[in-house]
Amino acid sequence: MIRAIARKEFTQYWRDGRVVTVFGIVALLGLAATVTGWSAVSTMERERASAVAMDREIWDTQGLKNPHTAAHFSRYAFQPTFNLAVFDPGLTDYVGNAIWLEAHYRDPAALRPVEDAVEIQRIAQLNPAWVIQVFGPLLIFILLYGAVAAERESGTLRQLLAAGMRPVSLLLGKAVSAFSLTGLLVFGVLLGSAFLMSAEGIERLPDTGLRTAALAALYLVYLAIFVFLALGVSALSSRSRTALAGLMGIWIVATILGPRIGPDVAGALAPAPPAHEFTARLQRESSDPFWGGSDEAVQRRQQVLDDILAEYGVETVEELPINYDGHLLQESEEFANDVFDALYDELWGSYERQRAIARVFALFSPTIAAQNVSMALAGTDIHAYRHFADEAEQFRREFVLLLNQEMIDHGGADGYAYVSGNDFWRQNPDFAYTAPGIGDAVRGVRGDVIILLLWFAMAVAVAALGVRRGFLGEVAA
Amino acid sequence: MLEAKELTKSFGDVRALNALNVRIGAGESLCLLGANGAGKTTTINLFLAFIEPTSGSALVNGHDVQRDPVGSKRHLAYIPEQVALYPSLTGLENLEFLAELSGHRDYGTDELLRFLERAGLDALEARRRVSGYSKGMRQKVAIAAALARRASAFLLDEPLSGLDPAAANEFTEVLADLRRDGAAILLATHDIFRAMELGTTIGIMKSGELVEQLDPASVTGAELEKIYLDHMRGGAAGGPA
């Protein structure tokens, strides 16, 4: 019975020019978004490869220089734009993909493509995930707003029930047909993305296969929510126009307003420190207490001196077998690192608070929860960025230590006059980044997954209510 | 076979049907006459299990429609005044869908076309989209659907209203054929003369009660009309001479 209903629905879709047109437009949007995503990722990866090579070349050929001075001259850590960013670029355009690695300072990321974007691009981002998140529900609502209400208006519902059709079979038949059509869109876009993701020059995210399967599952659950909601609303509405108006309201709130308002409210309630203030604070709190002229700073430097003299059992700096300036620089690094850890923990904490507040809005908009999970699976959310930033910071610390150690070990009494050459620079390692696996990626979005499942249960309940009230009240009319 | 036993339905304080007792066997047809609100459609809704009786029971081929709604509808056909079909599908596709709903997935196109032809719709018309069908043509598809599901009991709610005389005549002939083939038919109508043609029994309903049962062979059309009008005016029924 369900199969017969689904087949009949498909025939009706096919013959309804409006459905074919809307599906065609959404499919074209999906195709365009996929190609655009691939083009953007390819360009970013090409530029990254070129920048990495140039960075290395400049480093290797900087000539004679004091190693610590070189630590200020320093290098970049570039974040790869991984293959799944073709499907969902997430925050890629907003967080930047290059971190300047210098001594005494932990830089935020630079090179944010959004800085070059015109305003409208910030409102409508054409990417495959966004097309499914926004247009998938719209397509479902257009397919299903009349699922029960129109059958009731035309009188066919009464006849189908008279023929012994169970209401739940009608709903499931309609659900299967709408779900298949929109599922086709999801798989088409995912397959297209997967094909383009495998293009040469694009780095593979760990667990890409598993992540892609999880993305497919995510979007099927997401679309199923809207399928059951549409069926329930249609069954409970006296007229198909009423159902359409109600569903359009749900669509606007869920896919357009919710994802815009949620982050804005979160940003207002738990503001992150302004960039210039944060940078100034980093500078002030990591440097002044060590290098400044305050009693605290003087005492701290004196303590470093006392400790190293005691360690080597000598009386003066000149007697030390190491380059003391290099040692003092490294000590200041380690002091600053503790400050960076504390301040960045505060910064990440403010982002986490924003996410928690925005997640409350997911109770009104499953799109918010789906976006969070989708970005996490694609490795383009704030958690993925933090992983990269932390890895880059770890590399910075090791790299600066390497340079300072060169000065400490080989600088002797030369102080800042000690220099290294290209032979040394060429031995220095590159930053190599490995993204976390899927388990780590989804740890931060468990709340969003639960919210999506709650939405699914609620949508099924609305459909069940529609079966109970919407059908039985009708037939006696 | 269609049977009502003390079938009663109240909506709040209003008694829409009061202790109806009828039995329509194979090859029999009961034509219910009555004004709007007399209880004809309520009777049909009760047989379809669309509403629950306040008391009593309705049976289709021995199945209590409340206890076994699926079993009772297996061989039951319902044809309303306005047969609703899917306009973007052809008559043949509508029939195929309706046959599948009743569990008959095994019919081929030729077989379905034969059902339509028997209902009075030729193959050319059957392959046209229903959006261009007249009311009479849609009713033929409904009859074909009843044939396809091998219905033995028919519920018809004002099927003749709005049909042109030729279409009404054609429809009446098809129903007469079905009855001769053993169908049990309950037909609600305002058309006294079609009731005379089709009914093996004619019932007159008023205010939820079956106030008169007549053998159409025992009265003329004019007599039936007089009896009916007497009931509608509120007077006592006068039996045939």
Side-chain angles (χ1 to χ4, degrees):
Chain A
M1 194 176 278
I2 293 169
R3 196 178 65 171
I5 293 164
R7 205 174 63 191
K8 187 266 296 177
E9 291 294 314
F10 276 126
T11 309
Q12 286 184 299
Y13 291 158
W14 179 245
R15 290 180 186 169
D16 186 338
R18 292 166 302 179
V19 170
V20 174
T21 305
V22 172
F23 183 80
I25 289 170
V26 176
L28 273 176
L29 270 177
L31 180 70
T34 307
V35 173
T36 305
W38 164 75
S39 169
V41 171
S42 296
T43 304
M44 280 192 269
E45 277 301 276
R46 236 183 358 260
E47 287 173 353
R48 185 180 71 92
S50 163
V52 166
M54 189 181 292
D55 185 57
R56 181 81 233 184
E57 174 68 17
I58 291 169
W59 181 257
D60 288 351
T61 57
Q62 59 186 303
L64 291 174
K65 199 174 279 174
N66 174 270
H68 189 76
T69 307
H72 281 284
F73 175 70
S74 207
R75 307 185 62 186
Y76 274 104
F78 293 99
Q79 183 180 23
T81 307
F82 288 106
N83 52 356
L84 281 166
V86 170
F87 176 74
D88 189 347
L91 301 177
T92 305
D93 289 352
Y94 296 88
V95 293
N97 57 10
I99 293 179
W100 176 244
L101 308 173
E102 64 172 319
H104 311 305
Y105 194 66
R106 179 173 180 178
D107 272 287
L111 305 182
R112 301 178 182 88
V114 76
E115 287 167 353
D116 302 324
V118 294
E119 193 59 31
I120 191 69
Q121 283 172 277
R122 301 183 191 204
I123 295 166
Q125 312 138 304
L126 189 64
N127 64 65
W130 184 77
V131 168
I132 296 173
Q133 286 159 9
V134 174
F135 289 99
L138 181 65
L139 181 61
I140 286 168
F141 286 172
I142 289 172
L143 292 175
L144 290 179
Y145 74 92
V148 181
E151 296 262 11
R152 182 185 292 125
E153 281 170 333
S154 69
T156 46
L157 180 61
R158 191 174 160 81
Q159 283 174 225
L160 295 180
L161 293 169
M165 186 208 65
R166 290 182 305 156
V168 72
S169 299
L170 181 70
L171 281 196
L172 288 176
K174 301 250 180 188
V176 166
S177 56
F179 194 63
S180 305
L181 207 58
T182 44
L184 196 67
L185 184 75
V186 171
F187 281 107
V189 169
L190 267 174
L191 276 176
S193 299
F195 175 72
L196 293 172
M197 280 179 328
S198 62
E200 201 177 334
I202 298 180
E203 281 209 38
R204 247 177 97 80
L205 201 58
D207 304 325
T208 288
L210 210 53
R211 285 170 186 263
T212 308
L215 278 169
L218 162 72
Y219 281 103
L220 291 181
V221 170
Y222 174 70
L223 294 177
I225 289 170
F226 290 97
V227 165
F228 285 112
L229 268 182
L231 289 170
V233 169
S234 184
L236 292 169
S237 301
S238 54
R239 302 182 66 81
S240 53
R241 278 185 193 171
T242 314
L244 181 61
L247 291 171
M248 284 298 110
I250 292 172
W251 179 71
I252 289 168
V253 170
T255 68
I256 307 290
L257 295 182
R260 298 287 153 202
I261 293 172
D264 286 350
V265 172
L269 292 177
H276 64 280
E277 275 181 25
F278 184 72
T279 305
R281 197 175 160 207
L282 271 182
Q283 197 78 46
R284 194 173 58 245
E285 294 187 18
S286 66
S287 177
D288 293 356
F290 196 94
W291 293 110
S294 65
D295 289 348
E296 180 199 4
V298 170
Q299 278 175 16
R300 186 166 278 121
R301 293 199 297 272
Q302 186 60 47
Q303 189 64 50
V304 172
L305 178 62
D306 292 346
D307 288 349
I308 196 71
L309 292 176
E311 186 182 331
Y312 284 97
V314 296
E315 298 291 326
T316 64
V317 169
E318 288 71 24
E319 292 174 89
L320 282 170
I322 60 162
N323 182 313
Y324 176 68
D325 288 329
H327 174 70
L328 188 61
L329 287 166
Q330 183 55 35
E331 285 294 320
S332 78
E333 275 300 327
E334 280 160 26
F335 171 80
N337 288 347
D338 290 341
V339 174
F340 298 149
D341 286 344
L343 293 184
Y344 267 89
D345 276 351
E346 270 183 42
L347 181 67
W348 294 123
S350 70
Y351 291 149
E352 283 303 322
R353 279 193 298 282
Q354 287 184 358
R355 284 185 74 190
I357 294 169
R359 188 172 285 136
V360 172
F361 283 82
L363 294 171
F364 306 97
S365 162
T367 308
I368 294 175
Q371 283 176 339
N372 289 340
V373 180
S374 178
M375 285 190 290
L377 289 169
T380 55
D381 65 345
I382 192 72
H383 179 75
Y385 169 69
R386 181 177 181 173
H387 187 271
F388 160 71
D390 287 347
E391 292 281 305
E393 173 61 8
Q394 187 57 36
F395 178 77
R396 185 191 71 81
R397 293 176 186 188
E398 289 166 6
F399 197 70
V400 171
L401 173 62
L402 179 84
L403 298 174
N404 285 339
Q405 201 65 50
E406 167 70 5
M407 187 173 162
I408 293 166
D409 293 346
H410 304 108
D414 291 349
Y416 284 101
Y418 175 74
V419 291
S420 297
N422 288 350
D423 288 346
F424 173 66
W425 313 130
R426 288 194 182 105
Q427 295 167 23
N428 300 153
D430 281 324
F431 171 66
Y433 178 64
T434 305
I438 187 172
D440 187 61
V442 298
R443 197 165 297 134
V445 291
R446 280 178 297 198
D448 297 285
V449 172
I450 290 169
I451 288 174
L452 275 177
L453 293 176
L454 285 175
W455 264 101
F456 181 75
M458 191 273 288
V460 171
V462 169
L465 188 69
V467 169
R468 199 170 302 161
R469 291 200 187 159
F471 280 80
L472 302 182
E474 145 63 21
V475 291
Chain B
M1 196 254 295
L2 295 161
E3 189 173 11
K5 292 179 178 173
E6 295 294 322
L7 193 59
T8 301
K9 178 65 186 177
S10 296
F11 295 103
D13 295 335
V14 179
R15 182 148 287 198
L17 190 67
N18 189 25
L20 178 70
N21 284 295
V22 290
R23 188 179 184 284
I24 308 162
E28 294 176 350
S29 60
L30 169 65
C31 294
L32 291 177
L33 294 170
N36 291 334
K40 306 187 298 291
T41 299
T42 299
T43 304
I44 286 175
N45 280 339
L46 285 162
F47 271 108
L48 287 166
F50 283 175
I51 49 176
E52 284 183 39
T54 307
S55 61
S57 57
L59 294 95
V60 177
N61 294 335
H63 298 274
D64 187 310
V65 300
Q66 287 298 325
R67 287 191 196 140
D68 183 12
V70 175
S72 68
K73 285 175 182 169
R74 196 161 290 137
H75 297 294
L76 182 69
Y78 166 62
I79 300 175
E81 180 182 351
Q82 294 289 344
V83 172
L85 298 169
Y86 297 100
S88 63
L89 305 186
T90 66
L92 180 63
E93 286 165 341
N94 269 284
L95 176 60
E96 186 180 14
F97 171 61
L98 293 170
E100 279 193 45
L101 279 191
S102 56
H104 296 281
R105 283 195 291 260
D106 47 345
Y107 289 134
T109 302
D110 290 345
E111 212 162 355
L112 292 168
L113 284 171
R114 272 198 293 278
F115 289 126
L116 286 163
E117 199 172 349
R118 197 177 151 201
L121 202 66
D122 67 38
L124 201 62
E125 290 169 329
R127 292 183 192 279
R128 277 173 46 207
R129 289 197 192 175
V130 162
S131 53
Y133 276 21
S134 65
K135 180 182 174 183
M137 289 165 83
R138 288 202 301 274
Q139 281 184 328
K140 287 172 184 172
V141 175
I143 291 281
L147 295 171
R149 64 188 294 148
R150 307 198 187 289
S152 56
F154 286 71
L155 299 170
L156 300 102
D157 195 0
E158 312 281 4
L160 298 159
S161 60
L163 285 184
D164 64 62
N169 186 56
E170 202 176 350
F171 186 74
T172 307
E173 282 179 12
V174 172
L175 284 184
D177 281 348
L178 289 171
R179 195 194 66 210
R180 277 192 288 275
D181 288 347
I185 297 172
L186 172 63
L187 183 145
T189 182
H190 293 290
D191 189 331
I192 291 170
F193 299 100
R194 293 292 173 194
M196 289 283 290
E197 274 185 71
L198 273 171
T200 54
T201 306
I202 294 171
I204 298 174
M205 294 195 77
K206 184 182 175 186
S207 305
E209 301 218 15
L210 185 61
V211 293
E212 189 89 52
Q213 286 196 74
L214 300 160
D215 178 355
S218 66
V219 288
T220 64
E223 286 167 341
L224 176 60
E225 187 175 26
K226 182 176 181 307
I227 294 166
Y228 176 73
L229 290 174
D230 282 347
H231 278 296
M232 294 307 106
R233 287 190 196 106

